[in-house]
Amino acid sequence: MPKMKSNKSAAKRFSVTGTGKFRRRRQNLRHILTKKSAKRKRTLGQPAIVDSANERSLRRMLPYA
């Protein structure tokens, strides 16, 4: 049986943590940054954990996880 192919667009956007959860980048840090506070921008720069509702579809896209 051939190997499972991972979804490359998902592989570039998500990474797996040591406990098996998915890490993602937050939105709203690309442009129009002048009106956002430094605290907000700092928080947006930190990675977030993917919600459990979307985890099943991600596991299907990334079979190595």
Side-chain angles (χ1 to χ4, degrees), residues 40-56:
R40 184 174 169 196
K41 287 186 278 193
R42 192 165 55 244
T43 308
L44 290 173
Q46 296 171 349
I49 300 296
V50 172
D51 194 58
S52 58
N54 302 318
E55 212 166 294
R56 187 174 169 212

Side-chain angles (χ1 to χ4, degrees), residues 10-11 15 17 22 25 27-30 39 50-54 56 62:
S15 60
T17 62
F22 288 99
R25 185 179 154 83
Q27 63 181 16
N28 296 327
L29 199 64
R30 290 293 187 185
K39 180 183 177 182
V50 172
D51 194 58
S52 58
N54 302 318
R56 187 174 169 212
L62 304 172

Side-chain angles (χ1 to χ4, degrees), residues 3 8-9 12 16 29 31 37 39 42 49 62:
K3 289 182 182 179
K8 288 302 180 182
S9 61
K12 291 170 188 174
V16 187
L29 199 64
H31 59 105
S37 68
K39 180 183 177 182
R42 192 165 55 244
I49 300 296
L62 304 172

Side-chain angles (χ1 to χ4, degrees), residues 4-14 22 50 54-65:
M4 292 288 291
K5 281 192 172 181
S6 61
N7 183 309
K8 288 302 180 182
S9 61
K12 291 170 188 174
R13 289 173 172 85
F14 302 97
F22 288 99
V50 172
N54 302 318
E55 212 166 294
R56 187 174 169 212
S57 58
L58 263 179
R59 293 219 181 273
R60 205 173 285 148
M61 285 190 263
L62 304 172
Y64 58 82

